[in-house]
Amino acid sequence: MTSRGVVRDWHIERMQGVIDGDDVPGGCLVRFAAVAVDGFPALHPGDHVEFEWHRLDRPESDYAYECTRAWPVGQQPVTRGRRPFRAGLWRMHADGSAEQVSPASPGQDSPVATSGGPTTGIVRIWHDEDGWGVIDSPQTPGGCWAHFSHIVAEGFRTVDVGADVTFEWQQVTNQDGYRYCATRVEQHRT
């Protein structure tokens, strides 16, 4: 069945949200795979959408309805053919928007190795109370997550924000939102 509604919320981390409409009391659960738009499959709270849905045999996450396809009102849904998923790399922004990243795109960093070091960087942030921080370097675009246990030091292990450090790293799938994780960190002392 096709209905019209308004996106109540969208959780970019979970890539799902809820659409409210007259035909779906309590809301309709929608996942990224059902978002029929060109580009990054996401919705935004307040978007007016058309959507196809069905009633679930058993409620899921307290929702009795699930969206099978959603698209902005006034547009045609994008058809992906027989393969609904396409591989892609996306850069997420704090406002919930996204841009596709292609290694062949001008101005983009070329693919990087899966591990490296020693290299130098600058400490962007450090949380002594939690024991972690982020190091910036050209070899780890977007930042390298670091844990106090990998700091080479005696006693309380910490680094200063803005300090130059030498570190070794490895590429990871996701460490608190970062693609790189330090395996050894040593602050340059003056």
Side-chain angles (χ1 to χ4, degrees):
M1 173 174 260
T2 302
S3 299
R4 284 190 176 202
V6 176
V7 177
R8 177 192 316 165
D9 59 29
W10 183 262
H11 301 282
I12 196 73
E13 322 74 48
R14 295 191 318 247
M15 294 301 296
Q16 69 181 32
V18 177
I19 298 173
D20 288 320
D22 293 338
D23 298 328
V24 289
C28 183
L29 181 63
V30 57
R31 293 185 176 88
F32 78 97
V35 179
V37 298
D38 193 26
F40 190 72
L43 298 173
H44 300 93
D47 285 353
H48 290 264
V49 294
E50 292 184 63
F51 63 106
E52 297 170 353
W53 55 274
H54 67 272
R55 184 176 183 81
L56 296 168
D57 293 332
R58 289 185 312 212
E60 184 175 330
S61 301
D62 294 327
Y63 295 101
Y65 305 96
E66 180 178 47
C67 178
T68 55
R69 193 164 68 150
W71 61 96
V73 168
Q75 295 182 18
Q76 291 297 314
V78 172
T79 304
R80 292 191 173 86
R82 297 174 64 179
R83 296 188 62 184
F85 301 104
R86 294 182 310 208
L89 179 62
W90 297 87
R91 177 176 292 130
M92 302 303 300
H93 301 286
D95 65 0
S97 64
E99 70 180 293
Q100 190 164 17
V101 177
S102 168
S105 296
Q108 294 295 330
D109 298 320
S110 59
V112 295
T114 57
S115 64
T119 190
T120 59
I122 298 173
V123 178
R124 181 193 324 164
I125 57 174
W126 189 262
H127 303 282
D128 276 332
E129 63 279 0
D130 298 322
W132 69 273
V134 178
I135 301 168
D136 289 318
S137 81
Q139 291 76 22
T140 57
C144 181
W145 188 88
H147 190 261
F148 80 92
S149 64
H150 296 118
I151 296 173
V152 177
E154 295 293 322
F156 184 73
R157 298 181 193 185
T158 187
V159 290
D160 300 323
V161 172
D164 290 326
V165 294
T166 299
F167 68 105
E168 296 175 13
W169 54 271
Q170 65 184 6
Q171 192 169 14
V172 294
T173 304
N174 182 357
Q175 174 62 59
D176 292 339
Y178 296 94
R179 294 183 358 218
Y180 306 94
C181 181
T183 57
R184 183 179 189 280
V185 179
E186 189 169 358
Q187 183 169 327
H188 301 177
R189 300 290 178 188
T190 56

